[in-house]
Amino acid sequence: MSVTGSTAIPDLLSIAAPFAIPRPGAVVGVVGVALVMVLTPGPNMIHLVSRSIAQGRRAAVISLAGVAAGFALYLVAANAGLAALLLAVPWLYTAIRLAGVCYLMWLAWTALRPDGAPLLADRGLPPHSSRRLFTTGLLTNLLNPKAALMYLALLPQFVDPAAGSVLFQGYLLGGVQILVSVAVNLVLVLAAGTLAGLLARRPTALRIQRLLMGTALAGVAVVLALDTSRPAPAG
């Protein structure tokens, strides 16, 4: 049976529709949000930089792989309907958000207290095996309130049902966020040792860096505490 040009074009469009590309503005928006989130000090940054200084770049890169796996799990869970579950049980999302607020405020206090350690400091961490490095990175990210906020509340805002498959857009935009986060964190862990050595010779710079980190952590905690949004439905 022959297929005419007029019928072939709609058939091709119907095949490509489930894989429609998100709007360029959505991709740019996700890149911007991902940069802000990854450059704001948080559990992932503190863990990776501390591990890089204490055990070396290779150890930090293994932990970074665990962090990336945590992002991937969040992405799959969000697209599988976790956001819908939290919509149906509002108090659960509130509990997760408030737990994250408390954790961030504790991190802020550890940085701002008089005897607090700066971000780029050797915390005397014992060496870990490759498996434990990966697992610690994974768990650190799964318990990171910024990761939960990204996938359950922020990322769905950039999905446009009119642009095609909501599921495909969710995975594609999530992949963009993971690439941005991994790239920035990789630069940080590779440069952590050098930066720590430079700052160690400048006590004033260390105090300023500790003040900035503590203030940024407290700021993120306040934003989360005041946030009244709910997880966006996946589609």
Side-chain angles (χ1 to χ4, degrees):
M1 180 177 178
S2 62
V3 179
T4 64
S6 60
T7 59
I9 292 177
D11 288 343
L12 289 174
L13 291 177
S14 65
I15 294 173
F19 305 100
I21 302 299
R23 294 175 291 104
V27 177
V28 173
V30 169
V31 170
V33 170
L35 282 173
V36 170
M37 296 292 277
V38 73
L39 291 174
T40 304
N44 288 344
M45 182 184 293
I46 292 173
H47 167 70
L48 292 172
V49 169
S50 299
R51 183 55 59 184
S52 178
I53 295 173
Q55 197 174 343
R57 295 171 177 172
R58 178 180 177 276
V61 170
I62 294 174
S63 273
L64 177 57
V67 169
F71 279 131
L73 288 178
Y74 260 119
L75 178 58
V76 172
N79 281 289
L82 179 59
L85 170 64
L86 295 180
L87 274 172
V89 189
W91 65 264
L92 182 58
Y93 178 70
T94 301
I96 294 174
R97 179 171 57 84
L98 293 180
V101 168
C102 293
Y103 184 41
L104 288 173
M105 289 301 292
W106 177 78
L107 289 175
W109 165 244
T110 60
L112 293 173
R113 68 187 184 189
D115 60 339
L119 173 64
L120 294 168
D122 190 344
R123 300 170 189 268
L125 300 178
H128 288 167
S129 66
S130 296
R131 175 178 296 181
R132 187 170 179 183
L133 288 169
F134 181 89
T135 303
T136 303
L138 172 64
L139 293 177
T140 298
N141 200 23
L142 291 179
L143 297 175
N144 182 4
K146 292 200 301 177
L149 177 67
M150 167 66 74
Y151 285 98
L152 300 179
L154 296 180
L155 202 62
Q157 307 299 330
F158 295 96
V159 174
D160 180 10
S165 169
V166 169
L167 185 64
F168 182 75
Q169 288 184 72
Y171 279 114
L172 184 60
L173 293 174
V176 170
Q177 182 272 329
I178 292 173
L179 285 176
V180 171
S181 180
V182 169
V184 172
N185 277 311
L186 182 61
V187 172
L188 288 174
V189 299
L190 293 179
T194 301
L195 292 175
L198 292 175
L199 290 175
R201 297 190 292 271
R202 296 171 174 81
T204 301
L206 272 178
R207 287 193 294 271
I208 293 174
Q209 185 265 323
R210 194 179 68 195
L211 176 63
L212 291 175
M213 182 181 73
T215 303
L217 288 168
V220 173
V222 170
V223 170
L224 279 175
L226 297 178
D227 177 40
T228 58
S229 64
R230 290 289 181 267

